Amino acid sequence: MKRKRTRTRRPVAMKIPLLGCILLITLIPLLLQSRFLLSYFYRNQAETAMMEAQNRCLILTNRIRNLDYINGMGNNSADPGLDAEIRTTADLMNGRIVIIDGTFRIVRDTFDISRGRTVVVEEVLRAFRGETVTGINEEKAYFYLAIPVYGNPESAGTSGSGETVTGVLLMTASTEALAQAEERAAERLALIQLFLLLSVAAAALVSISFLLRPFKKLQQQLNLVAEGNLDQDIRVDTYRETSAISEAVSHTIGDLKTLDQSRQEFVSNVSHELKTPITSIRVLADSLKGMENAPPELYREFLEDISDEIDREGKIIDDLLTLVKMDKSTPDLNIAQVSVNAMIEQILKRLRPIARKRNIELVYESIREVTADVDEVKLSLAISNLVENAIKYNHEEGRVRVTLDADHKFFYVRVIDNGVGIPAEFQERVFERFYRVDKARSRETGGTGLGLAITKNIVMMHQGAIRLQSKEGEGTTFTVRIPLNYIP
Ligand code: ADP
């Protein structure tokens, strides 16, 4: 049998998505951690630099205060020593120092470009209010400091300017170097992360292949089954999943084996059944051949027997074909609204002569009018088989009763006889193909052993059910239940 394969996607090895997941789970925290670490590193460095700058600037503002440097500038008596110190501090911090006097004018600029300009920015105003203002501008990569310079108590005398802010020291310094250091750290970190990731990938690959080993084992066992070894034991109990797969596959293989066995049995039964009439024909023909001067009556008698055997062979083949047609996965049913009463009457009319031959009374009791959705030809065959059997497996002057009843969902046909009955131990098996309780009697009456198998198949196709009650020597009742409405 050709199996249809509809494959839309190439399957991937389970290893790949597993590895992907593990790497992703490792990578995300690593990246978050490095982001956090780098930003912490930058801030920490910047803050250290700012602290140092602040300390140096505080020393400067003290000196400026003590030397009355701002007022001195006004008098043109600036201290050259302090001047140099301011410049050195600015250079050391890689920045610029600007000193602003009480009128917001720049009196000293280490870059010598803004002297004399007026600076009114928020940080300077806050410093004039006595605050030490610090901040970082990460975007433009610099930090700034604004430190108040108090008035010289000695020169202020009693005016109290020792507590008044007479100027502001403003320092700005580039953090470019810190950013570069951060970049270098980031590169190092990336290298470490790459190494970590590769180690994780290697470890993950080893663990995954170890963890997937039971599935591989299962696959190997299944490959053996695929090669046709149906006796291969499928069992991998390492995981609950592999155990469940093993169980399901073993179960399916068991079913397949039973199916295979019953198919073989069926083929051997068919061969046997088909051979029996041929053997009889051969025996009859051979005996005729061996007889010299046989009278014409004997010829006629033998030829009639041969003709009977050919009929039998034909009937077996017909029944087999009927069964094979119904065995298709989608058997064709010709469903139509049918009067079941009329259908049964027709069957009985056809079978009455056979019953009469054996003086068997054939009675029909219809409790109500029934119309149902059925395949008339098939269902007629099913019920005919039951009535024929009730006549065949009966005594002379026996009785066969057929009843029809219905409720709101189903109709029920009962075929009741007071014939030979079926012993309890065979009741289960009579629906099997070629199964006969009394082989001699079945042969004698021209049975093929397929009648009940066909009947059961037809009833099942109509989504119905068939049941039998029987007592040996007392009689048999077959009950067929079919839904009134057929739902495909
Ligand atoms: P067959 O062609 O032999 O009649 P069936 O499949 O119709 O085959 O029936 C199978 C066997 O069941 C018969 O051989 C017979 O032994 C038994 N059987 C069927 N119907 C009856 C019945 N009404 N009473 C007694 N035995 C029956």
Side-chain angles (χ1 to χ4, degrees), residues 14 27 61 83-84 116 171 209 226 245 252 319 359 399 407 419 453:
M14 202 167 159
L27 194 64
T61 52
D83 238 12
M171 176 179 197
S209 9
I245 296 174
T252 313
D319 279 0
N359 286 329
R399 192 163 186 261
D407 56 25

Side-chain angles (χ1 to χ4, degrees), residues 389-390 392-393 417 420-422 430 435-438 442 447-452 476 478:
N389 280 352
K392 278 194 309 193
Y393 303 103
D417 67 63
V420 296
I422 304 168
V430 289
Y435 192 83
R436 295 142 167 144
V437 178
D438 182 347
S442 171
T448 59
L450 294 171
L452 283 182
T476 308
F478 278 94

